[in-house]
Structures are given as C-alpha cells and as structure tokens.
Amino acid sequence: MVQPFNHSGNGLLHGLHVIELCEPEAEYCGLLLAGLGARVTKVEPPGGAASRRMPPFADEGGADSLFFRAYNRDKDSLVLDLDRPEARARLLALLEAADVLLAGSLEALERATGLALADLAARCPTLVTARITPFGDDGPWKDLRACDLVHLALGGVMMNTGYDPDPRGRYDTPPIAPQAFHAGHIACEQALIGILGALLHRERTGEGQDVACAIHTAVAVSTEMDLMSWVMRAVHQHRQTCRHSAEVLNPVTPLAQTKDGRWNLGWMVTAADEKKVVEFLSSWHMACDLQGPDARRDPKVRDVPGATAFDEHKAHVFEVVQRFVRSFRYRDLPWQEAQAHGLMWAPLRKPHENLEDAHWLARGSYAWIDGLPYPRAKWIGSGTAWIAQRAAPALGAAGDAPLPAATAPARPRPAAAAPRLSARGRPFALQGVRVLDFSWFLASAGGTRMVTALGAECIKVEWKDNLDSRLGAMAPAGGREARRRATGPLPGVDDPAQGGHYNHKNAGKRGLSLNIRDPRGLEIARRLVRVCDVVAEGFSPGVMERWGLGYEALRAIRPDIVYVQQSGMGAQGRYGRMRTVGPIAAAFTGISEMSGLPEPAPPAGWGYSYLDWMGAYGFAQAILAGLLHRERTGEGQWIDASQCESGLMLTGVQCLEWALHGRAFARTGNRSPYLRAAPHGAYRCAGEDCWIAIACFGEDDWQALVRAAAQPDWAADARFATLDARLANQDALDEAVERWTSTQERYACMALLQAAGVAAGVCQTAEDRCERDPQLAHQGWLTEVTAPRIGTWPITELPARLSRTPSHVGGLPQRGAPVYGEDNEYVLGELLGYTGAEIRGFERDGVI
C-alpha cells in the first residue's frame, strides 16, 4: 500500500500563476488554488483588501483579521493603485504572464484592466479568467445586494434547515442560515471545478477562456432531496432538527444529548443498521424493549434520508438511543465502540476539537504556521502534496521569489480526432478522457457527475447485489404529463429505474453491470483500466484491494492511471473504517455544531447532506487536478480523498480563534457571528411558513430600511439610534422588524427593500426556485435530459459557465442516468472488442 504521508512535495498545480483580484467571498477559491500548488498573487489597493478589515481579529485594535489570515495563507500581496495608468499597465503585464485571473463582475474586471473581456482575451489568449459574482453578469437580479445570509435564503438552504415545528405543524422558529461564510464556500468550490476544466482544455489546445460562477446559482443547486422532490412530484420538504428535511415529518431526531449538554448523532439507513443498534445497546444492557427490525424488511435496502417515511417503531428506537446517550458525559461517549460495532455514530464536535485528533495529525490535515493551526488539505496523494507553508502576507509582501515576467505558452498537441460536440454544439473541456466509475451515493457519484458534464466518458460500474441507491424523488405515476397537470403532491412509482435523485446525480454516465467477484468480471475490469484515464471509487477503504483492483495493481496495468478514492475519513489513518454519511461527517467536523440557535437550543445542523456535496466537489477537483498534473508531467498517482477533510477546510477562522483566544465557536442563530449587522435575520412574512432574510451592516442600510418600511418610530427609538445600540437590543429590534414584515407579502417586501438598497431575500423553497426565481431561469440553471423508463426531466446544470467549452449535464451520451447495465454492449463490444456470443455468455453466467 502506498503511504503518502510526505507533505513536502510540490502541489498538483505547481508552476501555474494566479492573479487574485476579487471580493472576500471569492478568496477561498484563491486559497484552494494556492493549496494545490499554484502561485497566487493577491492584488490589493493601497489601503489593503476589504478582508483585512473583517472580524474576528487577532488583536483588540481590529488590525489583524483572522478571516484574512484563514483565507489568504500561502498567497503573495502586491499593492497596485489601479486608478493610475502605470499600475494598470503593471497588472496587464502580469496577466500576459499569468495562467488564471480570479476576479469578480465584468464591470470590476473592466475597471481594473481598462479592457473589455473580449479585448483582454485577445491580448492574453491563454489566460483563464475566472469570475465569482453574486448573481451573474446579467439578468433581472444581477444588481441585487446580497450577503451570506441572503444567498443562503434565496438559494434554498435556509428553508431546508432549522427546527421541528410545534405539535400543530406550525414553525415557531425561523429557518436557519448555517454559519459562517458558506455561500462563498459553495461558489468557490464549484468555480474551481470550472477553472480546472478550463486549464485542462488550455493544456491541450492553448486556448484560454472565461469561467463565470454566480453565487446564487451555485447555492441554489447545492441542496438535496427538496429540488428533485418538487421537480418530480410537486412535493415540499419540511425542515427538521439536525437532520434531513423530509416530505413526511419524523417524530424523533437521531440527535441525542449527553448528561453534560453535548450531543451525539446516530444514523440508520438499513434494517441491518437497526439490528446492530439493538445488539450494541444490549451489550450495555440498555436495549429496553427493542427486538430488532421487522423480519420482512430487506436488510440491504437503504432508506434515502429525506425520502423515506419515519414510523413510530423507528422513532422508538431513537428514543431508546437517546436514553442511552443521556447516561454519559460527552467525553465518555462510547461512539468509537459503536462504530466498531458497525454503527454510524459520531459526536457533534466543535471545530477546534479536531486539532489534536490523532487521525488528522497522521494525515497532516492541519498545518501549524507560526504557531497557529490552519486546515491544510482535502486529500493526500502519492505523488503530490497540498501546500500550506506561509502565513497570510503583510500588505505588499510579494514573497521571496520575483514575480514572473513571462511564461511559456501552452503547447497544444494535435487532436487525435475531431472534437465531439456537446448538446450545446460546442466542444467539451475533457475531450478524450474516460473514467472507470465505482462511485455511489452523492459524495462520490456527484463528483463523477461533474466531470461527466465537462465531457469525460464515465462508465458507472454496478452489480445487482450492491446497487447505488435508486430510491428517492420517484417519478409520478403518469410520468411528465401527470406532473404538468399536477395541482398538488403526486404519489411516486415503486420502480428503482425511475428515481429522480439517482437520475440527477448520475446523468450522462454509461451503465455497466459487472460481477467483479467472478474472475471473468475481474478481467473485464482490468481490461477497462487499460483504456481509461481515471479510476474513481467511493467504497469503504480496502474493498478495491480485496478485489485485486487497488492502486498498486492498477498502476501495474497502466502506470499513468489517476486513481481517486473517497471515503468519509480517508483510507489512511486510524478512522479509515469509520462509517459515515453526510450528516455524520458534518457532526464530526464541527459543521453541524456551528448551525442553530444559541445554547441551550440544540444544534440545527444542516437540512441536507452538505458534506456529501462538499465531498463531491473535492472528488471532482481531485480527478481534474490529477488529470491536469498528468497532462503536464506524464505522471499518474493515487489520491485518497476524505469527505470530512472537505469540511475541516471550512473551519479555518474558528480554529484560529481557538488557538489565539481560547474561544470556542458559539451558535448565534441567524445573527452574524462576526460582522457587525443589525437587523440580521429571518423574519416572518404574511402567509404560512413564509420568511424573508434582511441584513443591515451600517447606518445607511438602517436608514434605508426605516424609510422603505415607513416606520419613523424605529428611527426615534433610542434603542435603535446607533449600530451599537441596535446590536445591544437585537431581541427588541427583531420583534419590531417582524411586526412589520408579518404584514408583507414576501416577494413584494424583497423588491421594496432591494429598491431601497437593503440586502434582503426571500427564504425560497424548491418550488420558489423552480417557479418564481427569474434569475435562475435567466441563468438556465436546469437542463432537460431524457433517460430510459423515467423519461425527460429537468435537472441542474453546473453553475460554473465555461465560455469556449460549456458543460452539459447530459454528457457525451446526451441523456439522463443509465438504467442498470444499459451500456453493456457498448462497453464490452465497442471498447473491449468482445463478440456478441461472448457477451451473451457473460449474461448467461452472471458475469454481467
């Protein structure tokens, strides 16, 4: 087994130069590029970037921003007053030598360079411009004011996240925006996927291009069951405490409190899981009256969180588990013993509690720079390392090495064949790339879906005894026509080939059924490795090795193979066999504990598998960066990606706060934990469960709100006279604001406030995003694809828009997800050369 624990090597993007000229919400993308080995030069105005003034601070004087430290390590700083012609000329000279420009809106880019985008592209033809904007370059909402809170509201995250309703079914607490900075995180992750795709295209053709990613679109596509449930059956999801939003509310949470007020999360997805719970509790003599699951349940069938009804029996199981957890202090929780018994249990850690964990120490998940901890990496690799060596730069500190004056242009290689065009009539970024895909569930299958949308031919391998989850957001009886006529929720069909969630995360892939345990099936897999560029897998660590398909075996077949695996905790380290799903990973990393009302309320967590998406983004990035590195060096490698490390990367500010001040992150509900803003929250509007997010960051915002709401009494109230006063009286302020918003129709209220210059946004449901959001419609966020059995349905497109090689979620086959074994003839016959008679023999013998 490869032991890739050396963190002193070069990164996957070593030798590339990035110019960063962007707003704070896009700095995370620059951090990821620096971590992957690119040299990132941050261009700042004479007074420094705005993020240098963002709280929290290392000192009481507010001159040393921990936000800036966390998101700008391993970057250089170059001060340019871009209002001056000589500074603008310097920037253009840098861009002529650079590989990537990370920027914001078109207006900001043109103001900084003095050139329209097309003119900049003509002057710098190999440059990849990457722009992260709030709402996009055009469209009806392009000029709206936004912030993290407003993006999470409009994008649907908040209406999935929060607390259970009261016994009458009424939500007596608002939807929750998980803290902190997550809208920017989501957009930066997706922008990076587009950047890497554009760089791969450039490596082969010499062509740069523009990559544009709107935060609003990126957030809107990043929820889970709610979107496809609405698209397929006109069904709404309901938010629940620290678990997936669900079509049918569950009476009991899997969240359990310890006797000292901390929390544990336990998850069950199969009848076999429930059986293990009863056995584990019995070993402690605390199983109460539990007898195990109904014997008629198939022990392998997985419940899809958010899509499976939760009956009183399951509720009682969790009540007994809660009784068990309440008998322990947090530090004594036997969660590791539960994991050893095969249970998906994890404590809800606070972010800093991962710093001393031996598993993360062994993987080098954190870097200590100048005595302070920084999340380092999403994965470990056999040939390259994540870079985390330098603290954030002082203003104007451009690093030790001189900035490059020139760079060798990309040397395109002749195309082996004419490029295959996507359904958009344009070439794909990943021409000629083939992926052998052993992924499943969202965290890994979602990642290969993204590279498929960029043009890789993805062969999804499954076997009937252990299928990917196909249930969830099922098609309605009567299909698309029934959905068009629907005036209310429709019942779904009981047909695994018609799962909307499966179709969404596997669109554009080829389907191969293959019994790896049969020697002939294993030989087919080995032959496929010879004609593939990437092997991607999401099994538990060790499964592929036991089949004879581990990295060492595969690189003996193809030395330059890029082998990317992902598990919850990573294959290497003491937790390699730890069972996780998205909520378990979020609990362990601290992401769940950061979301919700202040204590003593429980954490609200996330209303969907946030770290499944973050893991999927990291999985796609590992594939793309590995391919780019191979394109430039000829070297393949093994990448061991971790879903949890994708979450750790989002907690840099909180780790610095702990290290410097001994201050653990404390939940603040919808109030900003760092930025000075009041009001800053979600407020009830007219109608049932209707809410609007409003944020005022200064006196101008406050006065605009007072005028728009026509509430002069607010201005006259001494409690609200200054920002300091409003921050000290937020309870009274929130009550006053909600008395007004509760009389307002939510979209009219948003339009009124936005027209006055106030950052405000409706807390949108999936229905709202599909039916009422003009900006998403303008962005073309949904694409229609057709698949066997399920028919033609809209699913989300990649938010990162590439100008020369746009993505298409239908991939090379221009279709939705494959049915089981749909492409056996193509894969075995066209790609591997088996005869029809041989293929029929494989079918007869249970090989395929």
Side-chain angles (χ1 to χ4, degrees):
M1 172 62 67
V2 178
Q3 298 291 334
F5 290 141
N6 179 7
H7 298 287
S8 61
N10 290 327
L12 285 163
L13 303 187
H14 177 71
L16 295 180
H17 187 204
V18 178
I19 303 296
E20 180 180 291
L21 186 68
C22 60
E23 297 298 317
E25 58 266 23
E27 289 178 342
Y28 178 57
C29 190
L31 173 67
L32 294 176
L33 286 163
L36 287 170
R39 184 171 187 189
V40 179
T41 300
K42 186 177 188 64
V43 175
E44 302 188 67
S51 55
R52 290 187 182 272
R53 297 177 288 280
M54 287 182 61
F57 297 104
D59 56 355
E60 292 185 3
D64 188 354
S65 166
L66 297 185
F67 181 97
F68 186 83
R69 285 197 188 196
Y71 291 94
N72 291 281
R73 64 165 172 79
D74 290 289
K75 299 178 185 178
D76 301 327
S77 170
L78 177 66
V79 175
L80 291 176
D81 182 355
L82 293 173
D83 290 330
R84 299 171 65 88
E86 60 270 24
R88 185 174 292 169
R90 178 78 193 282
L91 175 63
L92 289 172
L94 286 172
L95 294 178
E96 288 173 350
D99 300 285
V100 178
L101 168 62
L102 182 60
S105 67
L106 278 175
E107 293 87 347
L109 184 147
E110 292 172 0
R111 188 167 54 249
T113 63
L115 296 174
L117 182 61
D119 295 329
L120 179 63
R123 180 164 179 166
C124 307
T126 64
L127 181 68
V128 172
T129 54
R131 299 177 303 99
I132 299 173
T133 64
F135 290 96
D137 296 320
D138 46 32
W141 284 2
K142 80 177 184 68
D143 295 322
L144 293 191
R145 285 199 63 194
C147 59
D148 192 56
L149 174 76
V150 169
H151 278 307
L152 295 178
L154 287 170
V157 172
M158 291 181 68
M159 286 303 281
N160 279 277
T161 303
Y163 294 94
D164 296 286
D166 67 17
R168 297 166 297 177
R170 182 178 186 270
Y171 281 101
D172 50 1
T173 56
I176 294 294
Q179 304 290 351
F181 318 121
H182 289 297
H185 291 151
I186 293 166
C188 288
E189 295 276 4
Q190 301 205 44
L192 179 58
I193 290 169
I195 292 168
L196 294 171
L199 287 170
L200 266 167
H201 173 77
R202 188 190 76 150
E203 196 66 32
R204 296 176 171 196
T205 66
E207 297 177 337
Q209 62 181 306
D210 184 57
V211 179
C213 186
I215 298 174
H216 176 48
T217 309
V219 175
V221 306
S222 73
T223 60
E224 196 173 354
M225 292 302 302
D226 68 321
L227 182 57
M228 283 300 109
S229 293
W230 174 259
V231 166
M232 304 300 295
R233 297 194 294 112
V235 166
H236 286 288
Q237 300 279 117
H238 305 283
R239 55 189 181 277
Q240 307 181 109
T241 305
C242 208
R243 60 202 191 277
H244 284 74
S245 64
E247 177 181 343
V248 179
L249 287 165
N250 305 336
V252 178
T253 173
L255 192 65
Q257 191 171 34
T258 64
K259 66 174 58 172
D260 53 353
R262 296 293 300 276
W263 303 91
N264 184 77
L265 189 68
W267 210 260
M268 299 186 303
V269 295
T270 65
D273 289 342
E274 183 183 333
K275 182 174 184 291
K276 291 174 184 176
V277 167
V278 176
E279 292 171 349
F280 178 68
L281 295 177
S282 296
S283 72
W284 288 83
H285 307 292
M286 292 190 70
C288 190
D289 59 346
L290 299 182
Q291 299 297 317
D294 189 324
R296 293 169 295 181
R297 287 179 62 193
D298 186 332
K300 291 185 178 181
V301 172
R302 297 175 182 84
D303 294 341
V304 178
T308 306
F310 201 86
D311 58 27
E312 287 297 329
H313 170 72
K314 293 179 185 176
H316 181 54
V317 174
F318 279 126
E319 287 170 338
V320 175
V321 170
Q322 289 170 349
R323 186 183 311 175
F324 174 75
V325 172
R326 273 198 306 273
S327 65
F328 293 94
R329 294 178 299 175
Y330 178 79
R331 71 182 187 186
D332 299 325
L333 267 173
W335 67 269
Q336 293 190 70
E337 292 93 323
Q339 280 279 348
H341 205 85
L343 304 182
M344 284 187 285
W345 282 26
L348 267 74
R349 286 182 167 176
K350 296 180 185 293
H352 71 272
E353 291 174 328
N354 284 290
L355 290 174
E356 299 300 325
D357 190 296
H359 177 76
W360 306 127
L361 292 174
R363 288 179 65 86
S365 304
Y366 293 94
W368 290 80
I369 302 171
D370 297 339
L372 294 175
Y374 295 83
R376 177 203 298 269
K378 294 186 181 188
W379 61 72
I380 52 180
S382 62
T384 56
W386 277 77
I387 305 301
Q389 299 168 343
R390 296 183 288 131
L395 185 61
D400 297 330
L403 295 178
T407 186
R411 289 179 294 195
R413 60 182 184 177
R420 295 187 57 181
L421 302 184
S422 76
R424 303 191 189 283
R426 305 291 295 279
F428 277 115
L430 269 59
Q431 291 289 336
V433 171
R434 185 174 292 130
V435 179
L436 187 56
D437 182 13
F438 292 93
S439 69
W440 60 345
F441 292 115
L442 179 56
S444 55
T448 48
R449 175 212 200 249
M450 295 171 200
V451 298
T452 299
L454 289 170
E457 182 174 56
C458 188
I459 301 171
K460 183 176 179 66
V461 181
E462 293 183 281
W463 184 240
K464 59 187 177 183
D465 291 341
N466 202 26
L467 289 171
D468 196 353
S469 59
R470 279 170 160 75
L471 303 180
M474 305 304 295
R480 186 70 181 275
E481 184 56 34
R483 178 63 182 85
R484 289 191 186 98
R485 298 193 307 267
T487 58
L490 299 172
V493 299
D494 185 18
D495 179 355
Q498 297 192 56
H501 190 48
Y502 177 84
N503 187 46
H504 188 226
K505 69 184 179 183
N506 288 290
K509 299 179 182 179
R510 307 259 188 209
L512 172 68
S513 61
L514 189 63
N515 183 2
I516 300 292
R517 293 179 176 87
D518 187 293
R520 291 165 293 177
L522 180 60
E523 176 58 24
I524 289 170
R526 290 177 178 275
R527 288 186 63 183
L528 279 170
V529 171
R530 295 189 184 97
V531 297
C532 287
D533 303 278
V534 177
V535 172
E537 59 109 335
F539 296 125
S540 297
V543 170
M544 293 284 279
E545 283 82 358
R546 289 196 296 274
W547 288 344
L549 295 173
Y551 175 64
E552 295 294 348
L554 297 192
R555 73 170 178 172
I557 299 170
R558 179 162 180 171
D560 67 346
I561 196 74
V562 176
Y563 184 107
V564 182
Q565 68 180 114
Q566 177 164 263
S567 56
M569 310 295 288
Q572 297 293 299
R574 65 184 295 184
Y575 297 149
R577 296 293 300 172
M578 183 171 168
R579 292 192 67 202
T580 65
V581 288
I584 295 296
F588 202 75
T589 59
I591 296 294
S592 290
E593 177 63 58
M594 292 171 64
S595 171
L597 296 172
E599 295 182 8
W606 288 74
Y608 62 95
S609 292
Y610 179 51
L611 288 195
D612 273 2
W613 273 119
M614 285 299 178
Y617 302 148
F619 197 54
Q621 291 158 10
I623 292 170
L624 292 166
L627 285 169
L628 182 59
H629 176 77
R630 189 186 75 168
E631 198 75 26
R632 299 169 69 220
T633 66
E635 300 170 355
Q637 66 178 294
W638 171 49
I639 294 175
D640 172 20
S642 158
Q643 186 183 25
C644 275
E645 281 170 316
S646 292
L648 297 182
M649 286 291 289
L650 312 178
T651 62
V653 172
Q654 293 74 43
C655 290
L656 289 175
E657 270 201 295
W658 173 260
L660 279 168
H661 304 305
R663 187 163 58 231
F665 185 88
R667 297 189 301 275
T668 58
N670 289 322
R671 294 172 183 172
S672 175
Y674 299 126
L675 302 177
R676 287 167 55 81
H680 188 282
Y683 303 95
R684 194 182 297 275
C685 291
E688 184 64 29
D689 199 29
C690 294
W691 305 83
I692 189 169
I694 301 173
C696 293
F697 294 94
E699 197 60 32
D700 290 345
D701 291 349
W702 168 247
Q703 293 299 333
L705 174 61
V706 170
R707 289 191 300 271
Q711 298 290 320
D713 290 349
W714 294 354
D717 193 324
R719 296 173 300 172
F720 311 148
T722 65
L723 179 56
D724 285 341
R726 292 191 292 276
L727 288 167
N729 294 281
Q730 287 189 81
D731 289 343
L733 178 63
D734 287 345
E735 290 175 7
V737 172
E738 190 160 288
R739 278 196 298 272
W740 172 69
T741 60
S742 63
T743 68
Q744 306 295 303
E745 192 280 325
R746 53 192 179 136
Y747 282 99
C749 186
M750 172 182 162
L752 176 70
L753 295 180
Q754 284 283 354
V758 177
V762 170
C763 295
Q764 295 198 121
T765 63
E767 177 185 6
D768 295 329
R769 280 136 60 208
C770 290
E771 316 295 343
R772 301 184 181 93
D773 188 316
Q775 190 66 19
L776 291 176
H778 180 82
Q779 287 261 309
W781 75 307
L782 298 176
T783 296
E784 299 261 348
V785 293
T786 302
R789 303 276 287 277
I790 196 171
T792 302
W793 294 91
I795 58 176
T796 61
E797 190 55 85
L798 265 63
R801 307 301 164 89
L802 283 68
S803 60
R804 287 185 182 272
T805 57
S807 67
H808 187 273
V809 75
L812 284 171
Q814 300 184 17
R815 69 181 192 202
V819 296
Y820 178 69
E822 179 176 348
D823 297 288
N824 287 354
E825 294 278 352
Y826 165 76
V827 174
L828 298 176
E830 290 191 39
L831 294 187
L832 298 185
Y834 287 105
T835 66
E838 288 173 315
I839 295 171
R840 300 290 83 74
F842 291 148
E843 291 174 348
R844 183 181 60 250
D845 296 344
V847 178
I848 60 173

